Amino acid sequence: MQFLIIAHDGTDEGAMDRRMAARQSHLEFCAQSLKDGNQYVGAAMLDDAGKMKGSVMIVDYPDRAAVDAWLAKEPYVVGKVWKNIEVIPCKIPDTFAHCIPKK
């Protein structure tokens, strides 16, 4: 089952510092999720000035409980970077199947 994750960073004064402190761990975590076949894509959301303000991802897990378990270990969650996270079930159509890594 595929899920779209939309995660907004905090907007307090220390938000960017938390993001940068957790960024390398986050990128390594995402690389492992990609290698495991559970993450298809990820991107930073940017404000009008090009400053990172959140993230979007498409992941593949058996159910919402598995996504929540994965998120509980995500460095941006653990590091309190993301403050508002939406998890939306989705389906990548066959038109874009070539974009999905083979498991």
Side-chain angles (χ1 to χ4, degrees):
M1 189 169 185
Q2 297 157 353
F3 296 87
L4 172 65
I5 298 173
I6 303 170
H8 298 270
D9 291 3
T11 57
D12 60 279
E13 191 172 308
M16 184 56 73
D17 290 338
R18 288 192 307 276
R19 176 178 263 274
M20 297 314 293
R23 189 165 192 263
Q24 187 59 40
S25 295
H26 163 75
L27 293 174
E28 291 168 4
F29 187 79
C30 289
Q32 185 62 52
S33 297
L34 182 66
K35 183 178 176 184
D36 293 342
N38 296 111
Q39 186 170 348
Y40 296 148
V41 68
M45 294 189 300
L46 307 176
D47 64 15
D48 291 338
K51 180 179 161 190
M52 292 181 283
K53 66 176 192 172
S55 306
V56 294
M57 300 176 172
I58 297 178
V59 298
D60 189 325
Y61 282 94
D63 52 38
R64 175 62 192 260
V67 174
D68 289 342
W70 176 77
L71 281 170
K73 297 181 274 184
E74 216 300 336
Y76 280 174
V77 173
V78 174
K80 301 186 183 328
V81 175
W82 292 339
K83 295 298 181 179
N84 179 14
I85 304 170
E86 291 179 77
V87 179
I88 305 164
C90 67
K91 174 71 174 135
I92 297 173
D94 292 341
T95 305
F96 296 100
H98 66 280
C99 299
I100 300 172
K102 304 289 186 227
K103 283 191 176 186

